Amino acid sequence: MELLKERIRKDGVLKPGNVLKVDNFLNHQMDIKLMNEIGKEFKKRFEGEQIDKILTIEASGIGIAAIVAQYFDCNMVFAKKSKSINLDGDMLTAKIESFTHKRVYDVIVSKKFINPGEKILVIDDFMANGCAARGLCKLIVDAGAEIVGIGIVIEKGFQSGGQDLRDQGFRVESLAIVDGMDDEAGTIQFRE
Ligand code: 5GP
């Protein structure tokens, strides 16, 4: 998605540790016009697919997924990061290691909100090692629902998550794939 790549080139900030900061338009301040274009693009890429619900993870996935859900005319559910796992069986749970915070979270979704047989699209802001996406897919499988695909705004293609998930047969659609970045030189390469 050319508009997104241009915006990353203009406003993205490269940080040590292979972190790309996009606080100016995606992760803190959100450019809603751009979010709408992102929603349209996901709708185009998953055209013809039945999507009953969108699943994302708090916090930075929520705003994006809410806008994307408008284009699919469906509800959005977000997995919550939880300090205490409730064991009474009414929650779906997964463990997710945070790439940016380097810690493991238990994430939960109420079983009420993902129903057996529902067709679910996973949406997230970034893909690095694929831990967040894999955790969200586990919640869907445990609910007896179906994963239609995984839509990612920015995939860091030099980290293995996206390729691993594609190799496992998942449909991963990323709107911009970064193949390399150098925080010292301030350069970023996108996949064509
Ligand atoms: P993964 O689970 O694929 O390793 O990492 C994906 C998650 O980590 C995303 O939900 C995102 O919040 C965060 N993340 C990973 N890499 C970056 C990055 O370069 N920049 C930002 N802002 N977040 C990232």
Side-chain angles (χ1 to χ4, degrees), residues 2 4-6 8-9 14 18 20 154-159 175-192:
E2 226 25 71
L4 175 63
K5 290 184 197 170
E6 272 170 32
I8 297 169
R9 277 194 202 98
L14 305 177
N18 289 326
L20 171 58
I154 304 172
E155 175 179 340
K156 291 183 290 179
F158 56 91
Q159 293 170 316
L175 304 190
I177 302 183
V178 176
D179 270 338
M181 50 195 243
D182 181 335
D183 61 285
E184 282 177 11
T187 53
I188 184 159
Q189 291 89 43
F190 290 101
R191 194 168 301 175
E192 285 313 315

Side-chain angles (χ1 to χ4, degrees), residues 122-162:
V122 171
I123 292 285
D124 203 6
D125 57 344
F126 272 88
M127 172 94 77
N129 297 322
C131 211
R134 274 196 301 277
L136 294 174
C137 288
K138 176 190 181 289
L139 298 175
I140 297 170
V141 169
D142 287 354
E146 196 182 306
I147 303 155
V148 178
I150 302 165
I152 299 292
V153 180
I154 304 172
E155 175 179 340
K156 291 183 290 179
F158 56 91
Q159 293 170 316
S160 66

Side-chain angles (χ1 to χ4, degrees), residues 24-173:
N24 179 282
F25 61 94
L26 189 71
N27 283 149
H28 194 162
Q29 172 170 252
M30 295 182 73
D31 178 334
I32 298 303
K33 275 195 181 144
L34 179 65
M35 293 308 114
N36 277 308
E37 294 307 316
I38 285 171
K40 283 182 208 162
E41 182 67 24
F42 279 128
K43 176 71 183 160
K44 200 165 88 189
R45 295 203 187 193
F46 288 96
E47 196 62 67
E49 296 282 359
Q50 183 189 330
I51 310 260
D52 300 318
K53 206 164 272 179
I54 287 180
L55 178 66
T56 190
I57 180 167
E58 68 177 2
S60 49
I62 296 176
I64 302 161
I67 291 181
V68 173
Q70 286 198 302
Y71 286 89
F72 288 91
D73 195 19
C74 68
N75 284 344
M76 180 277 283
V77 178
F78 60 93
K80 294 183 171 195
K81 292 172 181 161
S82 162
K83 286 196 192 80
S84 58
I85 283 281
N86 132 346
L87 293 172
D88 63 11
D90 56 359
M91 292 287 174
L92 301 158
T93 67
K95 285 197 184 300
I96 293 183
E97 185 176 346
S98 161
F99 178 83
T100 37
H101 300 113
K102 306 284 177 232
R103 54 162 289 197
V104 177
Y105 293 95
D106 288 303
V107 300
I108 56 169
V109 170
S110 168
K111 284 185 179 164
K112 285 186 292 198
F113 301 131
I114 305 183
N115 300 303
E118 277 185 325
K119 294 179 187 301
I120 315 269
L121 175 62
V122 171
I123 292 285
D124 203 6
D125 57 344
F126 272 88
M127 172 94 77
N129 297 322
C131 211
R134 274 196 301 277
L136 294 174
C137 288
K138 176 190 181 289
L139 298 175
I140 297 170
V141 169
D142 287 354
E146 196 182 306
I147 303 155
V148 178
I150 302 165
I152 299 292
V153 180
I154 304 172
E155 175 179 340
K156 291 183 290 179
F158 56 91
Q159 293 170 316
S160 66
Q163 197 50 50
D164 291 348
L165 285 158
R166 290 185 186 94
D167 290 346
Q168 286 165 32
F170 290 99
R171 175 165 179 202
V172 182
E173 293 284 346

